[in-house]
Amino acid sequence: METLLVLLFVLILAAIGSLPSLLFWWLAWKLLPKTYSLPPYRMTLLCIALSFLTGMVLNPELEGGGLSIMPFMLILTLLWSFILLPASILVKYFFGKSKSKTQ
């Protein structure tokens, strides 16, 4: 039972750490034109998944144990957000135009 509570606590800290990424994607969704905007919840979940994958690949030794998951997720989700936003805009720009020309 204690293990389940600790796991729940760590997951809550990870969710709190990924809130700035959700804010970033929500602002991008609001401020970008509709042709380049992306759904903020899906992109945040993608950033969280990529952050967990990056954490498993890098296998960092977190000094604070489970408590240091929040800054780790904050940094990685924002890093993935900053990488994915320009890349997704470029993909939509180049491949979106060719799709609209054929119609």
Side-chain angles (χ1 to χ4, degrees):
M1 184 65 180
E2 292 174 10
T3 307
L4 188 61
L5 288 175
V6 169
L7 182 64
L8 181 67
F9 183 68
V10 169
L11 288 176
I12 288 172
L13 287 178
I16 291 171
S18 62
L19 283 177
S21 177
L22 178 65
L23 179 66
F24 175 82
W25 284 107
W26 184 79
L27 284 173
W29 178 66
K30 285 290 188 187
L31 297 177
L32 286 175
K34 292 299 176 193
T35 55
Y36 300 117
S37 64
L38 296 162
Y41 296 118
R42 288 185 200 162
M43 295 308 290
T44 303
L45 287 176
L46 177 66
C47 289
I48 290 170
L50 287 172
S51 297
F52 275 121
L53 184 67
T54 305
M56 285 193 286
V57 168
L58 295 177
N59 199 12
E61 186 67 34
L62 300 176
E63 295 297 325
L67 293 177
S68 60
I69 189 101
M70 191 166 74
F72 185 76
M73 287 298 290
L74 178 104
I75 292 169
L76 279 180
T77 55
L78 282 178
L79 181 71
W80 277 112
S81 296
F82 292 147
I83 292 171
L84 287 177
L85 182 67
S88 62
I89 288 175
L90 287 174
V91 167
K92 279 193 157 196
Y93 178 75
F94 287 115
F95 294 112
K97 284 191 172 191
S98 64
K99 185 178 178 183
S100 64
K101 286 181 184 178
T102 59
Q103 292 179 352

